[in-house]
Amino acid sequence: MKKTGESWSNDNTTAAAYGRLCQALVDAGHIDLQGRVVELSQPDALRAALFRLGADQIDWLTESVSAGWMNLAELGQVVATRDKLMVREHAARLQPDVEPIDIDLVALGEIDLATVSDTADPPLGPYLDGLLPEVGCALLAGKGGVGKTWVCLRACQDAAKASGWATGAAVYLDLDGNGVGKLYARLRLLGMPDDAIRQRSVNIIDPAALGGERRKSTFETLSGILKGLEAAPPRLLIIDSFAKAIAAMGGSENDASDTNRVLGLVEVLRTRCSVVVIDHIGHENTGRPRGAAAKVDTPDTVVMLHLHEDADADVVAAASVLAVKDRHGALRQLAASGDLMASGSHLGVIRVRRGEPYSVDLLTAKAAKEADETASSVARATGTDPNSQRRAEVERCIADSGTGGISKSDLAGLVVKLHSTLALPREDARVFVADVVGELLRSGWVMEMPVRGGTRVVWTAPEPEPEPEPGDPFAGPAAPGWDSIRPQ
């Protein structure tokens, strides 16, 4: 028997070694003379990996097969393991030598304290009413048609306007095939000046079309565009969409390595400008972007848009805005509670509305809550809030019942049958009536009269005298003891 590593013949080519291995497999009964499968697979399935191993390694495997040390399945496992090891060793040899980098005071200088914030919460971003940050990477996810493109175009308009409509203030990379002309048409609907559109204040690019012109793949073109932007970053960069970017790379959304490779393309830009990646949500789990967890782990901000029903005929699209991730804490200022510890905190509602021009506006949850509290306070003071109106109906029914009174059960039934905006479920109506009657009893306006084992509520307060006409000579003072102001 030959020594390990020595060739079995004078022909040391890889092809010859491969032929000898196939003959050994035939002799061992693992394949027949026509190469048809006897056990698991033909050696042809391993051809590429075997050829990478070289003649000496193949001859060693041939010796092992001939000696009965491994069958075809075991051969496949050994080849796969050795092939991976060789690829890693080759990649390691290609790595350049690491040069030392100084990070001391002389090399990097002193810290500029003007760049150090001492506020509890970072400032809200300047785009789309504070939703998108000034610097960092945000993932904006939602189902198709929910308004993601409108939202990002409005943010681009904000960035371009803030720059004085400078060329390239915002860049929109349309990988999703919306159409450059159609996106500019939307910007025009949003009121962007024609001169700003001509001068590409918002620079909308179709990487696939640009790559076709330059005979490059879409992913090569995307990578080249992003590398070029590092020298002169825009204020805002939109990548639409993540799914098309990773598909152009040939990767999978479910693979964390592929996901981080795509997001790694903006690793430098996210430290110099605002980067927004448009993404989609899954059909089953709608509480997070679909695919690998790295989609949530890697960006600074992750925001979800969910369809919001709006009866206004002028509303083109409406979406509830939820914060899935808020790394720096700026978005908590939009939430009603101001606390974003829980994933999925409600930030407000975005509406796209027809008009001259169209508008895309975020009504924050905090602003909505403050407006609701103000409106409720005014309604309570003027007696126009729902509970005041229900109470007035209960008091009227008691007064109209006369000396016979009315049962609390009948009063609850009346509350159940009120107008749809005032009606309560029966159990809630009973609790409400009991509270109102109890308060009226304590103030002396009603009494409870026993009737056939139950009680009826009877109005006992005197009716107020009508106000006298001005100049009435017979008008006298009010009856002694009458108080025209109802007890509260």
Side-chain angles (χ1 to χ4, degrees):
M1 183 175 289
K2 76 177 188 63
K3 296 180 181 178
T4 301
E6 293 179 349
S7 297
W8 280 34
S9 73
N10 294 328
D11 190 346
N12 292 327
T13 64
T14 303
Y18 178 73
R20 291 192 289 271
L21 174 60
C22 289
Q23 185 59 50
L25 290 169
V26 170
D27 295 342
H30 298 309
I31 60 174
D32 63 18
L33 292 176
Q34 285 72 44
R36 289 192 295 270
V37 179
V38 172
E39 282 199 0
L40 293 178
S41 64
Q42 301 182 55
D44 278 353
L46 306 174
R47 180 191 292 268
L50 283 165
F51 271 58
R52 283 193 294 271
L53 293 179
D56 287 345
Q57 290 283 329
I58 294 174
D59 280 340
W60 179 84
L61 293 170
T62 301
E63 178 186 352
S64 299
V65 170
S66 298
W69 296 340
M70 68 175 70
N71 57 27
L72 187 56
E74 293 166 337
L75 172 68
Q77 293 173 358
V78 171
V79 170
T81 300
R82 287 180 173 252
D83 187 47
K84 287 182 181 179
L85 182 60
M86 286 186 63
V87 169
R88 288 173 186 164
E89 290 175 349
H90 180 67
R93 287 195 296 272
L94 294 178
Q95 291 291 332
D97 293 335
V98 177
E99 296 181 2
I101 299 175
D102 292 328
I103 57 170
D104 57 14
L105 182 62
V106 175
L108 301 182
E110 295 182 347
I111 296 296
D112 181 4
L113 293 179
T115 65
V116 179
S117 172
D118 56 0
T119 59
D121 289 319
L124 287 169
Y127 311 123
L128 198 70
D129 306 315
L131 183 64
L132 300 178
E134 185 172 18
V135 176
C137 180
L139 191 79
L140 182 70
K143 289 186 176 180
V146 78
K148 301 185 296 294
T149 302
W150 282 106
V151 166
C152 290
L153 287 174
R154 156 67 202 282
C156 286
Q157 187 183 34
D158 290 347
K161 185 175 181 180
S163 73
W165 307 113
T167 297
V171 174
Y172 193 112
L173 300 181
D174 178 28
L175 291 154
D176 222 31
N178 295 290
V180 172
K182 291 181 179 179
L183 293 177
Y184 275 124
R186 288 198 186 188
L187 283 173
R188 206 172 192 183
L189 286 172
L190 289 171
M192 188 168 173
D194 286 351
D195 285 345
I197 292 176
R198 288 192 195 95
Q199 297 300 317
R200 291 184 179 265
S201 294
V202 178
N203 197 2
I204 301 176
I205 304 294
D206 181 346
L210 186 62
E213 294 173 2
R214 303 187 175 214
R215 297 176 181 256
K216 290 185 177 182
S217 71
T218 300
F219 191 73
E220 286 176 323
T221 306
L222 174 64
S223 302
I225 291 171
L226 296 175
K227 190 67 177 176
L229 289 175
E230 292 177 5
R235 289 177 178 238
L236 176 65
L237 168 67
I238 307 293
I239 300 178
D240 184 5
S241 64
F242 183 91
K244 291 300 176 68
I246 202 166
M249 185 190 75
S252 167
E253 288 185 274
N254 297 314
D255 188 284
S257 297
D258 289 345
T259 296
N260 281 325
R261 184 180 171 194
V262 170
L263 294 176
L265 296 176
V266 297
E267 199 62 37
V268 174
L269 285 168
R270 68 188 289 180
T271 66
R272 301 179 181 177
C273 67
S274 180
V275 178
V276 179
V277 181
I278 297 178
D279 197 22
H280 299 85
I281 60 177
H283 295 291
E284 296 181 1
N285 187 356
T286 59
R288 60 178 301 280
R290 70 189 185 193
K295 283 188 178 182
V296 176
D297 298 339
T298 305
D300 302 303
T301 301
V302 179
V303 174
M304 305 284 295
L305 300 185
H306 289 297
L307 185 65
H308 177 81
E309 297 295 337
D310 200 303
D312 191 334
D314 287 333
V315 172
V316 177
S320 297
V321 186
L322 304 179
V324 176
K325 182 179 181 182
D326 181 20
R327 174 175 289 165
H328 303 303
L331 293 181
R332 75 180 68 232
Q333 300 172 63
L334 304 178
S337 65
D339 183 8
L340 279 186
M341 295 303 292
S343 177
S345 296
H346 180 62
L347 300 182
V349 176
I350 284 178
R351 289 181 177 86
V352 183
R353 195 183 301 275
R354 291 185 183 89
E356 298 291 341
Y358 277 43
S359 62
V360 182
D361 299 304
L362 170 65
L363 175 62
T364 69
K366 182 178 181 180
K369 180 182 179 184
E370 291 173 350
D372 183 61
E373 290 175 347
T374 300
S376 297
S377 299
V378 172
R380 286 192 296 270
T382 59
T384 56
D385 67 297
N387 276 343
S388 296
Q389 295 180 62
R390 293 186 190 107
R391 179 189 176 106
E393 285 296 313
V394 170
E395 292 178 355
R396 183 187 61 77
C397 290
I398 297 173
D400 290 349
S401 67
T403 57
I406 185 172
S407 69
K408 286 189 281 188
S409 178
D410 288 341
L411 287 171
L414 290 169
V415 173
V416 171
K417 296 177 182 178
L418 288 175
H419 186 273
S420 60
T421 58
L422 298 178
L424 293 174
R426 180 164 293 277
E427 195 57 41
D428 293 341
R430 286 174 179 167
V431 173
F432 178 78
V433 167
D435 290 342
V436 172
V437 170
E439 187 177 332
L440 292 173
L441 283 169
R442 289 190 294 274
S443 62
W445 285 74
V446 301
M447 62 173 288
E448 285 189 309
M449 180 176 63
V451 177
R452 296 175 187 172
T455 59
R456 297 178 78 82
V457 182
V458 180
W459 191 267
T460 59
E463 291 296 330
E465 294 184 1
E467 290 291 332
E469 293 293 331
D472 184 353
F474 299 101
W482 172 254
D483 184 359
S484 62
I485 302 176
R486 179 173 297 178
Q488 296 297 315

